[in-house]
Amino acid sequence: MNAVEVAPEAYHAVLGLEKYVRANVEHTVLELVKLRASMLNGCAYCVDMHSRDALAAGESSRRLFAVAAWREAPFFDERERTALALTDAVTRLGEHGVPDEVWDAAAAVWQEKELADLLMAIVTINVWNRIAVTCRTTLPAEV
């Protein structure tokens, strides 16, 4: 199913969130969050798109590959690490929610508005991932 064609108003609502986070979350962090959530959700379409977008914006391939093992990689600063940890916790949300230590670590380095915007970025990419995976969105043959 092409959800965009079947429910264009819903698509535009999610697109509104996407435009908001693009305007309010630092681009490098946003691409890392999008890539990490897409990896966790098994969304090949989004992994492909966001890795290409990040490379085009000047991100190094070494850092992008390391997103898969970010906890062990030395390439990320404290804000990026807390963003990735929060991405993991929100994307894998279990019955006990986001652990306090993950939230507290993020709140220690992100101002409240920045943290709210980061959270919106994480939930938005999770919506896109769930649409793409459920609808079996295929990767473009050529880019």
Side-chain angles (χ1 to χ4, degrees):
M1 174 176 69
N2 184 333
V4 176
E5 291 176 3
V6 175
E9 290 176 357
Y11 169 78
H12 287 290
V14 179
L15 189 58
L17 276 172
E18 178 66 30
K19 289 178 182 178
Y20 177 85
V21 299
R22 284 183 191 174
N24 289 284
V25 177
E26 192 268 315
H27 183 75
T28 298
V29 170
L30 182 58
E31 288 302 331
L32 293 175
V33 162
K34 287 179 176 184
L35 183 58
R36 180 62 182 169
S38 299
M39 288 174 171
L40 294 174
N41 288 323
C43 185
Y45 181 85
C46 292
V47 167
D48 178 67
M49 176 175 47
H50 297 302
S51 59
R52 285 186 291 108
D53 289 350
L55 285 169
E59 184 61 80
S60 76
S61 58
R62 195 169 186 203
R63 276 176 37 105
L64 292 180
F65 295 144
V67 168
W70 69 267
R71 292 180 197 284
E72 291 79 26
F75 310 125
F76 307 104
D77 66 26
E78 186 177 18
R79 284 171 59 91
E80 291 168 337
R81 287 184 173 286
T82 59
L84 290 165
L86 188 59
T87 301
D88 284 7
V90 172
T91 301
R92 294 177 169 152
L93 194 61
E95 70 177 273
H96 300 292
V98 173
D100 289 343
E101 61 272 10
V102 171
W103 183 262
D104 293 345
V109 296
W110 292 85
Q111 294 177 8
E112 188 173 40
K113 172 71 165 64
E114 292 176 318
L115 189 54
D117 291 342
L118 177 60
L119 178 59
M120 290 301 111
I122 296 166
V123 300
T124 302
I125 188 56
N126 273 280
V127 169
W128 288 127
N129 289 163
R130 281 153 176 75
I131 293 168
V133 170
T134 303
C135 294
R136 293 175 172 82
T137 305
T138 58
L139 286 111
E142 294 184 33
V143 289

